[in-house]
């Protein structure tokens, strides 16, 4: 299978390495607006570097992996659909509902395949939590606590383009909450703080946020995020039921220190970032995509899953802005 990869930044470079090693891939074509960066990735992986996305689509590829800047995602998804090519795209499809819906309509009209990059669905811990919840091991689920904490802010230039903390970061928590529990969010109440570095205030964003989400069976969930977690990269989910409770992301690299005298010490090697923490999940989602593209597997994360998560993020932004609860019925229907 010959694969085209558009975008060779941090995640694109990682994906290029995964694809180059995969037994089902016998050709890899890469491009990036920074031609020198694309050339370096090509040299490292044995890929062919080309000048533009147009050249990728013209290179007789069998599928495309889109890891470009967010602003280009919707257009590239549409181009792949019109070319009849299966596409994998890192989230988000677009930063607003209109752009997301437009790209999805292109996919629907073409009858093509779009898999979204919500890698947590391919993480062993989240998969085990899903099985425990769906299998009844926890009993009636009453509380879920999710957190995503980055060790340091992203580059200042990225913030105005990110869509904000709810759309860029917490959207992963919103997606995995639905996937693990099998329930839908009915109402949110969200807030945020920009008391940290000035770059967040300048971008109209927040560096820390929290949301209370009510699910359609009455389960309560909290989702918190920060860009300023100096201890390390911390992504966890705790699920509590009437019978038992479990935690995802709790291991000897979790950047969390117990204050109890007999508690575990600080980790010797805390997780530094998302690529290290979720490397196996990223590999698994690309393996799934190659099987989807080859017709051997149903799509495990259709593009409409991104729309569900984005609607929750939009509700949280509205709640933060207006300082009130927001029902999901207030957000444009799918």
């Amino acid at each position: 299978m010959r694969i085209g990869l558009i975008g060779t930044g941090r995640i694109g470079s990682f994906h290029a390495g995964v694809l180059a090693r995969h037994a089902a891939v016998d050709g890899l074509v890469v491009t990036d607006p920074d031609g020198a960066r694309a050339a370096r990735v090509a040299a490292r992986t044995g890929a062919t570097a080309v000048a533009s996305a147009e050249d990728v689509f013209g290179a007789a590829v069998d599928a495309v992996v889109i890891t470009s800047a967010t602003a280009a995602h919707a257009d590239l998804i549409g181009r792949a659909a019109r070319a009849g090519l299966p596409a994998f795209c890192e989230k988000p499809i677009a930063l607003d509902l209109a752009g997301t819906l437009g790209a999805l309509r292109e996919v629907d009209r073409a009858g093509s395949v779009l898999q979204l990059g919500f890698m947590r669905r391919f993480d062993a811990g989240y998969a085990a939590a899903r099985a425990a919840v769906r299998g009844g091991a926890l009993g009636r689920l009453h509380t879920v606590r999710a957190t995503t904490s980055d060790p340091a802010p992203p580059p200042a230039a990225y913030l105005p383009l990110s869509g904000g903390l709810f759309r860029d970061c917490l959207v992963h928590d919103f997606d995995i909450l639905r996937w693990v529990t099998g329930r839908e969010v009915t109402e949110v109440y969200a807030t945020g703080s920009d008391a940290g570095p000035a770059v967040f205030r300048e971008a109209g964003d927040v560096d820390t946020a929290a949301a209370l989400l009510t699910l359609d069976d009455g389960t309560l969930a909290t989702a918190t995020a920060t860009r300023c977690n100096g201890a390390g990269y911390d992504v966890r989910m705790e699920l509590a039921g009437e019978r038992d409770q479990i935690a995802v992301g709790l291991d000897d690299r979790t950047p969390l220190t117990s204050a109890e005298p007999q508690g575990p010490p600080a980790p010797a090697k805390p997780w530094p970032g998302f690529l290290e923490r979720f490397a196996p999940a990223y590999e698994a989602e690309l393996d799934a995509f190659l099987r989807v593209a080859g017709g051997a597997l149903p799509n495990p994360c259709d593009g409409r899953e991104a729309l569900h998560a984005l609607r929750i993020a939009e509700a949280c932004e509205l709640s933060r802005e207006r300082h009130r609860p927001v029902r999901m019925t207030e957000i444009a229907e799918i």
Side-chain angles (χ1 to χ4, degrees), residues 34-297:
D34 183 339
R37 184 165 68 181
R40 289 193 297 271
V41 169
R44 177 175 59 82
T45 61
T48 299
V50 295
S52 67
E54 185 175 348
D55 292 329
V56 170
F57 285 108
V61 296
D62 300 299
V64 295
V65 172
I66 300 168
T67 54
S68 62
T70 295
H73 286 187
D75 176 66
L76 291 169
I77 288 169
R79 293 177 68 176
R82 293 189 295 275
L85 294 174
F88 173 93
C89 184
E90 281 296 336
K91 66 84 189 167
I93 293 175
L95 292 178
D96 58 15
L97 290 170
T100 300
L101 285 166
L104 291 175
R105 290 190 190 103
E106 291 252 38
V107 173
D108 288 344
R109 278 194 294 268
S112 59
V113 171
L114 172 62
Q115 182 181 325
L116 255 292
F118 282 120
M119 77 291 186
R120 295 187 194 182
R121 293 180 177 221
F122 298 86
D123 176 76
Y126 284 109
R130 186 177 195 260
V133 171
R134 305 294 184 93
L138 306 185
R140 181 186 69 86
L141 188 66
H142 52 74
T143 307
V144 182
R145 294 176 287 270
T147 187
T148 295
S149 300
D150 288 334
Y158 172 77
L159 291 175
L161 309 175
S162 71
L165 193 58
F166 290 106
R167 298 185 189 94
D168 181 53
C169 187
L170 277 164
V171 72
H172 279 290
D173 296 276
F174 302 150
D175 175 72
I176 205 64
L177 175 65
R178 295 181 60 250
W179 188 76
V180 168
T181 66
R183 314 305 307 192
E184 297 295 341
V185 174
T186 60
E187 183 178 87
V188 310
Y189 188 82
T191 189
S193 170
D194 62 2
V199 291
F200 291 95
R201 291 185 292 280
E202 293 163 2
D205 196 5
V206 294
D207 59 81
T208 302
L212 172 63
L213 308 105
T214 302
L215 306 190
D216 58 13
D217 64 347
T219 300
L220 296 180
T222 59
T224 63
T226 184
R227 301 283 199 185
C228 304
N229 195 57
Y233 182 74
D234 187 11
V235 171
R236 281 177 287 123
M237 175 181 272
E238 299 171 7
L239 301 108
E242 291 183 335
R243 188 177 300 163
D244 200 1
Q245 63 177 345
I246 57 175
V248 179
L250 185 61
D251 59 23
D252 62 0
R253 298 191 68 182
T254 304
L256 186 67
T257 303
S258 174
E260 299 298 330
Q262 303 303 317
K269 191 178 180 183
W271 293 111
F274 65 91
L275 283 178
E276 295 83 3
R277 166 66 177 85
F278 286 109
Y282 280 118
E283 295 203 21
E285 72 176 356
L286 282 183
D287 176 73
F289 173 64
L290 294 172
R291 288 189 285 155
V292 169
L297 184 73

